[in-house]
Amino acid sequence: MKVPFLELKPAYDELRADVDAAYRRVMDSGWYIFGQEIEAFETEYAASVGVPHAIAVANGLEALQLVLMAARIGPGDEVIVPSHTYIATWLAVTHVGATIVPCEPDERTWNIDPARVAALITPRTRCILAVHLYGQPADVAALRALADPRGILVLEDAAQSHGATARGIASGALGHAAGVSFYPSKNLGAFGDAGAVTTADPALADKVRTLRNYGSRQRYHHETPGLNSRLSELQCAFLRAKLPHLAAWNERRRRLAAIYRKRLTGLDGLTLPHVPAWADPVWHLFVVRIPRRDELAAHLARGGIASQIHYPIPPHRSGAYAPLGWEQGSFPLAERLAAEVLSLPIGPHHRDEHVHAVCDAVRAFLGA
Ligand SMILES: *Cc1c(COP(=O)(O)O)cnc(C)c1O
């Protein structure tokens, strides 16, 4: 059985009537930027997260950058970020000119480790940018216990965690603000680039709103040097068509993850992520850890099973950060994860049989 990693077309097939209607509604309106669709999407998305404010923007990277800009974080400020994440988390900090302070992951959850964060706080620390990696919520409550008394902001990179909850609170509502991406392959994806900021802070929301549109509240009055990070009416209309289905799609992912966990737990040489009792992940990716990673990926490929690596090069070892001079060995846990993680196929349109076929192949590889 061939198992694709993730296919995007089935979501369109499932919602074809609604998506096509959204397209026609916008095209016929003759209004393509800042109209009814963005207003409605922002209201509906904020309600789904459980925060008063959502601000739709062009992509996830700029969502994070805009939050940092709105919080006036910049040169001389330190921002603690996970050493093990997608590079966009780091780039948002770099683009505002602040200093990156990488923090190694918890060895069981692979998310930022609050115990290690404590040791990295200095008088210059302005912000902790937590990532809910692979769809599993980071321990924002533990981070806030450290940060709140010191006046340090806790922000969320919620690009992989639409619908995930921690102690019943949705990702995107756990920190002071969050940046989210609706890149097509995310759990909630547009048909193109898209992103949003969510927050309960009205002043921060107002700043992000201004900054995403050339720093302008009133046409041709530019209060502050902003970006052009507007999200089109079309993408907002498409996202409105998909948002009501997010919960069911996440439920499918949870069911498939449960099959993986049932069939792959306790195998020699293979480690699955630990899920704390308070966390309800949405399995953006199903990642396993295995020292013989490249051999397993090749074995799966021979059987027609696609897999991917998230991510093969940790940010500190990528060309973008070469000027900072972090040698191999600077962040050994991130480096080890980069060498050992493998993402197995998971998505709302995979069938149980797909996941069973992957499990059979993984077990055969391990001689289990
Ligand atoms: C996808 C992603 C982003 C960036 O989102 P874009 O919409 O591609 O800019 C940021 N952080 C993480 C963890 C992501 O997975």
Side-chain angles (χ1 to χ4, degrees):
M1 180 188 290
K2 279 216 179 309
V3 185
F5 188 74
L6 176 71
E7 287 182 315
L8 301 178
K9 179 79 178 343
Y12 175 54
D13 293 336
E14 184 186 335
L15 304 183
R16 183 180 290 266
D18 292 350
V19 172
D20 290 359
Y23 168 79
R24 266 184 240 107
R25 194 167 70 236
V26 173
M27 297 314 285
D28 283 334
S29 76
W31 194 272
Y32 307 116
I33 293 269
F34 283 152
Q36 292 177 358
E37 300 295 334
I38 194 169
E39 289 208 4
F41 175 64
E42 288 179 341
T43 303
E44 291 159 11
Y45 190 69
S48 80
V49 173
V51 289
H53 309 283
I55 305 101
V57 302
N59 56 63
L61 170 58
E62 288 178 357
L64 296 170
Q65 183 180 340
L66 286 161
V67 171
L68 294 170
M69 288 168 75
R72 296 190 176 281
I73 290 169
D77 297 330
E78 294 177 0
V79 178
I80 298 175
V81 297
S83 58
H84 179 60
T85 182
Y86 181 54
I87 197 168
T89 316
W90 284 40
L91 290 175
V93 177
T94 298
H95 291 330
V96 298
T99 302
I100 286 175
V101 178
C103 179
E104 290 269 71
D106 177 302
E107 289 197 64
R108 296 174 70 213
T109 65
W110 311 334
N111 264 326
I112 194 165
D113 183 350
R116 293 174 203 267
V117 167
L120 296 173
I121 292 175
T122 77
R124 286 173 174 249
T125 307
R126 286 282 317 281
C127 169
I128 301 165
L129 177 48
V131 182
H132 308 299
L133 198 66
Y134 308 146
Q136 156 137 279
D139 194 353
V140 174
L143 296 173
R144 291 196 66 159
L146 291 170
D148 288 357
R150 296 175 170 88
I152 296 169
L153 281 180
V154 178
L155 303 177
E156 300 167 72
D157 178 339
Q160 303 189 353
S161 59
H162 319 73
T165 60
R167 301 173 179 90
I169 298 172
S171 80
L174 295 163
H176 296 100
V180 60
S181 165
F182 306 116
Y183 181 75
S185 65
K186 308 289 190 189
N187 289 35
L188 177 62
F191 294 96
D193 276 306
V197 170
T198 54
T199 184
D201 178 340
L204 194 77
D206 183 60
K207 285 191 188 125
V208 171
R209 254 176 226 295
T210 307
L211 285 165
R212 77 169 166 189
N213 185 30
Y214 287 114
S216 168
R217 213 181 296 265
Q218 190 190 342
R219 203 172 225 195
Y220 304 128
H221 292 254
H222 300 276
E223 307 164 19
T224 173
L227 307 183
N228 173 0
S229 191
R230 298 180 293 232
L231 186 60
S232 72
E233 288 287 286
L234 261 183
Q235 294 304 340
C236 291
F238 292 151
L239 285 163
R240 291 183 69 202
K242 288 179 102 180
L243 180 58
H245 302 269
L246 173 65
W249 286 335
N250 281 340
E251 230 13 82
R252 270 302 292 162
R253 288 175 183 270
R254 288 190 180 101
R255 180 182 158 78
L256 297 174
I259 297 175
Y260 274 131
R261 280 153 64 80
K262 185 158 173 223
R263 294 205 55 205
L264 300 181
T265 293
L267 298 183
D268 236 11
L270 188 82
T271 310
L272 302 189
H274 169 69
V275 179
W278 49 263
D280 189 6
V282 288
W283 306 102
H284 172 60
L285 296 168
F286 193 88
V287 177
V288 299
R289 194 173 157 186
I290 175 167
R292 294 164 63 204
R293 189 263 314 276
D294 296 341
E295 280 175 72
L296 173 59
H299 171 82
L300 294 176
R302 279 193 296 277
I305 296 168
S307 63
Q308 292 186 11
I309 298 169
H310 299 90
Y311 299 91
I313 303 171
H316 72 277
R317 295 294 297 152
S318 58
Y321 289 99
L324 298 185
W326 275 309
E327 304 286 337
Q328 188 72 18
S330 305
F331 302 102
L333 289 180
E335 290 164 16
R336 225 163 66 215
L337 284 170
E340 296 186 355
V341 289
L342 189 68
S343 305
L344 303 178
I346 194 164
H349 298 92
H350 279 102
R351 299 194 307 272
D352 291 7
E353 303 86 83
H354 286 137
V355 169
H356 281 295
V358 181
C359 292
D360 291 342
V362 172
R363 294 181 65 101
F365 175 78
L366 293 168

